[in-house]
Amino acid sequence: MKKFLIIITVLLMINLDAQAKNNNNLKQQKNMNNTTILHTANAFVSKGDYESFLAYCTTDTKWVFVGERILHGKEEVRAYMKEFYMEPPVFDVELAIEDGNFVTVTGNIRLKNKNGKYEHFNYCDIWRFENGKIAELKAFVIEKKP
């Protein structure tokens, strides 16, 4: 009986330690500002880990590419990434400005097209957050001509 109680005690201690570590990770994420959350999420895109990026989005996230298309929800964003990110895009962030639930980012992006050549774009993204998750994107993207 003593061995059983010792085993249960050890298992409870391991479980409590794991819960404490998980709570610390959640606290760290909650203490992150939206700009840091966005940069953290985009680091996954740069590595081609789109599923980890999508974990930072609300289920009903909405992405508006001005003058081009509107994506509704994670599934449409996932399909977009599968179609257009044949290789991970290369971002060059020039400026990020946070104001409340919004983060505006400007910069350059390179995307490999179906012919294997990079296309270059300037962008201005306005990201809206809800409870630390990406709820909406309004993207202004302009192709750079050679």
Side-chain angles (χ1 to χ4, degrees):
M1 184 70 168
K2 279 187 176 181
K3 286 183 184 179
F4 180 73
L5 288 174
I6 291 172
I7 291 171
I8 294 295
T9 303
V10 169
L11 290 174
L12 284 172
M13 289 172 57
I14 291 170
N15 187 36
L16 289 173
D17 184 52
Q19 285 180 351
K21 286 179 183 175
N22 188 36
N23 286 341
N24 284 338
N25 288 342
L26 290 174
K27 284 179 187 174
Q28 286 174 341
Q29 186 173 343
K30 286 182 181 179
N31 290 333
M32 291 171 37
N33 64 25
N34 291 327
T35 303
T36 303
I37 292 168
L38 180 62
H39 289 313
T40 302
N42 275 337
F44 288 112
V45 172
S46 295
K47 296 175 191 172
D49 185 354
Y50 307 130
E51 288 304 312
S52 292
F53 170 84
L54 289 169
Y56 285 85
C57 297
T58 61
T59 303
D60 61 346
T61 191
K62 178 181 175 184
W63 288 22
V64 177
F65 294 94
V66 175
E68 187 182 331
R69 70 178 69 202
I70 300 173
L71 306 175
H72 297 278
K74 281 187 185 183
E75 290 307 315
E76 288 187 15
V77 173
R78 181 179 285 113
Y80 174 86
M81 291 176 150
K82 185 176 181 180
E83 181 180 351
F84 288 97
Y85 295 174
M86 289 162 219
E87 284 189 18
V90 179
F91 297 98
D92 174 27
V93 175
E94 294 173 342
L95 181 66
I97 302 168
E98 183 168 342
D99 185 17
N101 290 326
F102 292 89
V103 177
T104 301
V105 182
T106 62
N108 302 290
I109 185 172
R110 288 186 300 153
L111 295 170
K112 196 171 260 192
N113 65 22
K114 292 177 183 175
N115 299 325
K117 302 212 184 248
Y118 277 103
E119 296 176 341
H120 301 262
F121 302 89
N122 290 330
Y123 71 88
C124 177
D125 290 347
I126 303 168
W127 300 88
R128 185 176 63 79
F129 287 78
E130 287 178 3
N131 301 317
K133 290 203 169 207
I134 297 166
E136 190 171 349
L137 163 65
K138 189 169 191 177
F140 300 85
V141 182
I142 302 169
E143 184 174 5
K144 291 183 180 182
K145 299 292 181 183

